[in-house]
Amino acid sequence: MKVKIVGNKKWKLEEKKFLKAIEAVRIPNAQLDDVDCLQLKSKADLNKIPNGGGCYWIWTSEPVYHHLHKNQTPEPIGHGEIIYNGIAKDDVRGRIEKHLFAKTNQTWSGISVDIFNGRAQSHHKKACSPKGKVPFIKTYKKAKRDSKNKNLKKGDEIIKFESIRSVEQLCKINLSQYEKRVIKSMKLKEIYFRNGIDITKPKHKKHNFFIYFITGLSSMYLDFVEKKWRINNGLPKLCSYSTGR
């Protein structure tokens, strides 16, 4: 076989055609107005989600004060916000169950909201640690002086992301009184989130949880929808990556 290097000129032209062709493709708006929506109160409600793969968004009225990234996040919708969105190649229903009806010792990845009182295993994300990747909490300060470089004036509000490195900082996120007692009694410098939450438990059941979902379409289009929606509207605060899971 003859080895040759011809460069990417031809494929760059094809890519240009491809990107031009998808410019007019519609995706859901920021409020997800045209997307199927379902309120979840019990695990039985999951049966209303069609079988198969698709993309999904998790909306809740429960306050979430921590972020897993520093990117722009979606604007609030009503009295709540989209805290997570993702894509499940084969089983949206099963993925939502892992997020919102999770077992305490679940090792499969889920949204990171509740504190894990046990030995961290696969996919557990750090909630607090003196080093390494941890969540952030927003802090708000007033500018002390004018700044030409940042276009700031004295008194303007400055938003900063503060890494959660201590138990005191961790207690500023939305935790139950029980969780606060647990993390203080653990006397550990490294504390983890559990994988997923159970919305039937007291901490969560007083809040509303809605799922928006699109299923039964080609994975190529659904991939495009998920990524483009994030580009247009921001990355939900509990997503760890700009693309992918």
Side-chain angles (χ1 to χ4, degrees):
M1 183 181 293
K2 185 178 179 180
V3 176
K4 62 179 180 178
I5 303 294
V6 296
N8 279 337
K9 188 175 181 180
K10 177 194 291 187
W11 305 115
K12 284 181 178 179
L13 289 173
E14 294 304 313
E15 180 194 43
K16 190 174 182 180
K17 292 181 195 175
F18 172 74
L19 294 175
K20 183 70 176 176
I22 64 174
E23 277 182 4
V25 174
R26 278 193 63 203
I27 65 163
N29 63 18
Q31 292 75 36
L32 303 170
D33 289 325
D34 296 328
V35 178
D36 287 339
C37 179
L38 172 67
Q39 183 173 12
L40 295 181
K41 292 185 176 181
S42 70
K43 193 180 288 189
D45 292 327
L46 291 171
N47 294 324
K48 300 173 185 176
I49 300 175
N51 288 322
C55 53
Y56 61 92
W57 295 259
I58 299 175
W59 178 97
T60 183
S61 61
E62 181 171 344
V64 175
Y65 301 133
H66 61 287
H67 298 238
L68 297 187
H69 60 81
K70 297 181 181 181
N71 299 296
Q72 175 191 346
T73 56
E75 292 294 322
I77 300 175
H79 298 292
E81 63 180 329
I82 300 292
I83 58 169
Y84 192 90
N85 85 310
I87 190 161
K89 297 291 185 184
D90 303 310
D91 184 11
V92 169
R93 186 190 298 173
R95 184 67 59 83
I96 297 303
E97 182 177 352
K98 293 290 191 296
H99 286 310
L100 301 182
F101 298 95
K103 297 177 181 178
T104 303
N105 294 316
Q106 178 175 284
T107 57
W108 190 263
S109 184
I111 59 173
S112 300
V113 173
D114 295 343
I115 298 302
F116 182 62
N117 184 14
R119 186 174 181 178
Q121 301 176 48
S122 172
H123 288 289
H124 284 108
K125 293 182 176 68
K126 289 179 180 178
C128 169
S129 177
K131 59 182 179 179
K133 188 175 181 180
V134 293
F136 307 96
I137 49 177
K138 276 185 177 181
T139 57
Y140 300 87
K141 297 182 179 179
K142 298 287 186 181
K144 295 182 178 179
R145 60 178 68 88
D146 293 352
S147 173
K148 292 181 180 179
N149 294 335
K150 296 181 180 179
N151 295 318
L152 287 174
K153 295 181 180 179
K154 185 177 179 180
D156 284 353
E157 190 173 67
I158 303 172
I159 298 175
K160 292 189 175 181
F161 285 90
E162 182 180 317
S163 298
I164 298 178
R165 300 293 183 194
S166 68
V167 169
E168 289 73 23
Q169 290 172 305
L170 184 58
C171 284
K172 292 179 181 180
I173 75 172
N174 185 27
L175 300 179
S176 65
Q177 291 303 314
Y178 171 74
E179 286 177 300
K180 290 179 181 180
R181 289 196 298 271
V182 166
I183 62 177
K184 288 176 181 177
S185 67
M186 288 165 72
K187 296 182 179 180
L188 297 174
K189 292 183 178 180
E190 230 172 45
I191 298 168
Y192 289 80
F193 287 116
R194 61 172 284 189
N195 288 320
I197 65 176
D198 185 345
I199 64 173
T200 65
K201 299 300 182 184
K203 178 184 175 181
H204 304 293
K205 68 179 183 180
K206 58 187 176 183
H207 301 287
N208 296 318
F209 288 84
F210 283 79
I211 295 299
Y212 293 83
F213 56 90
I214 301 174
T215 59
L217 305 180
S218 71
S219 59
M220 181 181 291
Y221 175 64
L222 293 173
D223 278 335
F224 174 74
V225 167
E226 185 210 29
K227 293 177 176 63
K228 187 69 174 177
W229 192 88
R230 289 179 173 184
I231 290 170
N232 290 351
N233 303 295
L235 182 65
K237 59 179 59 171
L238 296 185
C239 293
S240 301
Y241 305 92
S242 294
T243 59
R245 65 176 192 154

